Structures are given as structure tokens and as C-alpha cells.
Amino acid sequence: MRLKGKVSLITGAGSGIGRATALLFAREGALVVAADRDAQQAEKTQKLIEQEGGQCEAKCIDVSQEEQVAAVIATVVKTWGQLDVLCNNAGISLLKPVTTTTEAEWDKVFNVNLKGVFFGCKHAIPQMAKQGNGAIVNTASELAIVAQPLYGAYCATKAGVLALTRVLALEWAAKGIQINAVCPGPIATPMLQAEFDLADDPINEEKLAIKSIPAGRLGTPEDIAKVALFLASEDAQFVHGAAIVADGGKTIF
Ligand code: NAP
């Protein structure tokens, strides 16, 4: 029960890594606010948690809209009096050469992946500072650190998430706020499957991805949820501005 009595807000909690994180946090005693732009999927996460005896409330928000992010954080604080953990996890991918990426496509991926993290931090930090404690876990990517063809806009957003994480960690460490990032490698989620499905031979694409991972398998959403749990917990009290890579060794070489 490493998050007993904690109030947590997780974005992108209707699928993949966000849902696994929501389930794990609830098992560890947290009250979970599961936010996603897909209301039905967020409600499904709520049901899954309630079936296990946990506490969850689903919220439908688009993280790229500042007023929606601000409103959900204000509601959490008004309802439960505190916000202990924020996981800025919602994200989208774009596989396209930069030379044919439109301005609208570029803006869309930045608005969700980077501006969404900015809005979450901007509105959660004042409350955490008032409390004198809090933890923010931003989902970046191994692609914040290494390059991959066709991921120009995506890599740029995730590198931005790491830079923002470090600056905020520096600014707020003295106020007792832990701000860190997790950098997942290829994780078996609907997002990754959709990327495989873009290839002529999706099954072969998945085999190639697995070949690039020393651990010999794709990650599971739970692999990343466990890292997020560590960063959200008091075990990580002295961890500030870190980028924990969980990629089965893919970026070792
Ligand atoms: P996922 O299964 O697609 O889940 C992401 C969730 O976020 C979806 O429910 C999605 O809704 C939601 N979402 C998207 N845009 C949103 C917005 N503007 N506001 C609120 N919710 C929004 O993806 P995942 O693989 O779990 O990815 C989670 C995070 O991990 C992302 O930040 C991703 O970049 C990062 N990541 C993933 C991998 C990987 O291999 N899977 C690797 C490195 C990093 P829709 O379904 O409607 O889009």
C-alpha cells in the first residue's frame, strides 16, 4: 500500500500504460482520477478498479485544452482537498517524414504530448507547493533520447517533455515536489499496435521491433506502471529530474 491515502490524477488512463498505472495505483491504496479524452474508456478503467475494490473516478478531458486541465485539477482539490500525484501520460504518435508533415499535424502532436504536460504541471504545482509535497510523473519515451526515422515531431515532443521535467524539478525540489519522467521503450499497447498496423506486414514489423530489444520481448503496460509507482511513491523522495528508461535494454547500444 505504497500510495495509501494519496489522491492521484492520471491522464490517458483509458488505455495502455495509463490504465495499467491507474489499476496499480489503486491497488497500492490511492484514490485514482482516471482522465482520458475517451469517456467510455475512462469509465471502463473506473469499473475495473471498482471491481477490485479500489476507488476511482473517471473524467473526460482533452489535455491539450488548458481550461479542461485546470478544471479537473480544481475539482480534484475541491472534492478531496489535495492532489498528491499527477501522471501526465496522455500522448499520441505520428509516423511521418518531417518533409511531408503539415503544420496542423505538427501542432496536434505538440499540443497533446508537450502542451498537455505543460498544462498539467502548471495547474498541479501550485497546489502541491501549498501542501509542501507532491509527485509528478511525466511519460516521455526512449525516443526522447535516441532517434528513429519517421518520428521527427514525436521525438521533438518527448525531448521537450524531458527538458521541461528537468527545469521544473530544479525549480520545485526545495518545495518537496518530486518531478520525474519515465522513458518507455516499445510497449504492447493500442498505440504501438496502430504503429505496427501502418506497415505492409504488421506481424513482421512486430518481430523486427522485438529483435531490437535485448530483453527479447515488448514491454507490458505494467512494466511502466511499476516505474511510475516508484516515482510517485515516497521511495523516490530523493529522486528529482530523473528520466528512468524502461526499454528492455533497447537504447543500450
Ligand atoms: P494508448 O494505448 O494510445 O493510450 C493513450 C491514451 O491517451 C488513449 O486512451 C488516448 O485516447 C488518450 N489520449 C490521447 N490524446 C489525448 C488527449 N488530448 N487528452 C486526453 N487523453 C488523450 O497509448 P500508450 O502506449 O499507453 O501511451 C501512453 C504514453 O506512453 C504516451 O504518452 C506515449 O507517447 C508514451 N509511450 C508509449 C510507448 C509505447 O510503445 N506504447 C513508448 C514510449 C512512450 P485515444 O485512444 O482516443 O487517442
Side-chain angles (χ1 to χ4, degrees):
M1 297 297 272
R2 273 171 288 178
L3 298 181
K4 196 168 189 309
K6 303 277 187 193
V7 176
S8 65
L9 169 61
I10 302 167
T11 68
S15 178
I17 293 167
R19 174 173 285 162
T21 304
L23 279 157
L24 183 60
F25 280 20
R27 281 178 207 132
E28 293 286 338
L31 181 147
V32 174
V33 178
D36 202 285
R37 71 174 167 192
D38 187 328
Q40 275 185 342
Q41 290 305 320
E43 280 158 21
K44 192 171 167 202
T45 299
Q46 179 179 335
K47 266 200 198 107
L48 289 169
I49 288 174
E50 286 172 350
Q51 278 165 8
E52 293 187 358
Q55 243 188 313
C56 179
E57 187 156 324
K59 294 275 181 204
C60 181
I61 63 158
D62 177 346
V63 298
S64 68
Q65 302 300 313
E66 182 167 14
E67 70 285 358
Q68 295 184 28
V69 176
V72 80
I73 290 173
T75 303
V76 168
V77 174
K78 194 168 169 217
T79 312
W80 292 288
Q82 66 204 72
L83 174 61
D84 303 295
V85 181
L86 168 65
C87 293
N88 286 308
N89 167 77
I92 55 174
S93 65
L94 175 72
L95 272 84
K96 220 171 170 189
V98 168
T99 46
T100 57
T101 297
T102 64
E103 186 179 358
E105 289 168 331
W106 181 272
D107 285 346
K108 190 177 171 197
V109 72
F110 267 78
N111 286 345
V112 178
N113 292 8
L114 185 52
K115 229 196 225 184
V117 175
F118 156 54
F119 291 149
C121 294
K122 177 179 169 183
H123 292 283
I125 286 172
Q127 173 61 27
M128 292 177 172
K130 222 187 277 174
Q131 295 166 188
N133 64 71
I136 297 180
V137 182
N138 295 325
T139 308
S141 170
E142 44 138 358
L143 296 184
I145 300 161
V146 296
Q148 194 159 311
L150 304 182
Y151 284 86
Y154 182 82
C155 284
T157 64
K158 295 299 188 179
V161 169
L162 279 198
L164 181 62
T165 300
R166 291 185 180 122
V167 172
L168 290 172
L170 199 53
E171 289 176 350
W172 294 98
K175 298 279 181 203
I177 308 175
Q178 304 155 216
I179 305 176
N180 294 289
V182 55
C183 297
I187 309 299
T189 68
M191 176 189 280
L192 186 64
Q193 189 56 52
E195 292 176 16
F196 290 152
D197 289 343
L198 292 173
D200 292 336
D201 184 349
I203 292 172
N204 190 50
E205 199 65 16
E206 180 174 343
K207 279 188 191 148
L208 288 175
I210 293 170
K211 238 179 157 180
S212 73
I213 303 170
R217 65 170 176 90
L218 297 177
T220 64
E222 292 72 25
D223 287 327
I224 306 307
K226 286 176 196 166
V227 179
L229 171 63
F230 165 67
L231 291 174
S233 76
E234 280 165 20
D235 292 341
Q237 243 175 10
F238 200 54
V239 182
H240 295 269
I244 299 191
V245 178
D247 67 349
K250 184 166 176 273
T251 54
I252 292 171
F253 61 94

